Amino acid sequence: MTKLDYKLSPKDIELLKSMVKDRKPQLSIIELQKAEMKANIVSSYDYAKAGPQKYDHCENHEIAEGKSTYDCLKDILCEESSRYHNNPCVVVMNHMTTDKHSGSVRDDIIAMKWSPDDCTDRTAKMIYSSAWGAVKDVLSSAINVSINNMLEFNDWDDVSDRLAPSKK
């Protein structure tokens, strides 16, 4: 079987490096283009207060004031009108967590493969599953995402169990 070796463009790598260094943008969505064997950032999300950071090679969206990246992710994956509600994608996001013992807050870069159980395009679901190893390699080498922060989810309950903000 042929190895699915998806690569990100230099512009996409720079956007992800900015995400790690400056925490801008807060969240990016990567789609795999099966015909070209490329991975492209198609959307980025940032807070309005972060200033006019526009990326010319992808859609730019604002995260509403008072919402977290987790809330934004929920809208992207759960809203029936979202194109990712029933379709796979890769999400790279800045995720804030609070240690339940010490109360300290930290942010991590999380990479996740979203491949919903009720995906309407089975071929796309298989491609994302087969290419996930190559995508993880790219993210690991380009922006040093820890293997512990590369996650796979098939439904919102899985996401919520792992990433939901801790209750105070």
Side-chain angles (χ1 to χ4, degrees):
M1 183 171 168
T2 307
K3 181 182 177 191
L4 299 178
D5 197 18
Y6 286 84
K7 302 279 187 226
L8 286 165
S9 73
K11 279 186 173 186
D12 287 340
I13 297 287
E14 286 307 309
L15 188 147
L16 291 173
K17 286 181 178 180
S18 171
M19 184 180 226
V20 171
K21 182 179 176 224
D22 303 324
R23 298 305 194 230
K24 288 184 183 182
Q26 292 290 314
L27 186 147
S28 294
I29 297 177
I30 300 170
E31 288 183 1
L32 302 181
Q33 311 300 320
K34 57 185 170 187
E36 298 90 22
M37 294 286 287
K38 293 189 315 189
N40 296 324
I41 294 178
V42 294
S43 298
S44 66
Y45 295 76
D46 211 344
Y47 292 105
K49 66 182 178 193
Q53 187 74 26
K54 301 296 179 196
Y55 308 99
D56 62 354
H57 65 290
C58 66
E59 295 175 12
N60 297 276
H61 303 275
E62 287 185 358
I63 300 172
E65 190 169 335
K67 283 196 164 197
S68 67
T69 53
Y70 175 82
D71 298 327
C72 181
L73 181 66
K74 185 174 183 179
D75 291 345
I76 293 166
L77 301 182
C78 294
E79 291 292 323
E80 292 208 22
S81 60
S82 170
R83 72 192 214 204
Y84 304 108
H85 177 68
N86 288 325
N87 291 300
C89 64
V90 174
V91 177
V92 180
M93 67 185 271
N94 181 29
H95 182 61
M96 303 295 285
T97 57
T98 304
D99 185 282
K100 53 185 151 186
H101 301 293
S102 69
S104 63
V105 177
R106 59 180 258 187
D107 60 343
D108 289 318
I109 297 294
I110 303 286
M112 61 174 272
K113 177 186 74 160
W114 170 251
S115 186
D117 288 332
D118 54 356
C119 179
T120 53
D121 184 349
R122 292 294 183 203
T123 302
K125 189 173 173 95
M126 289 188 304
I127 288 171
Y128 276 79
S129 292
S130 299
W132 180 233
V135 172
K136 289 192 309 186
D137 290 346
V138 167
L139 294 173
S140 178
S141 65
I143 59 171
N144 298 317
V145 176
S146 163
I147 194 70
N148 294 331
N149 291 341
M150 293 191 190
L151 313 168
E152 299 179 50
F153 298 115
N154 298 84
D155 62 40
W156 182 253
D157 290 340
D158 293 343
V159 177
S160 181
D161 288 347
R162 179 70 190 260
L163 298 179
S166 48
K167 307 240 191 289
K168 293 182 182 180

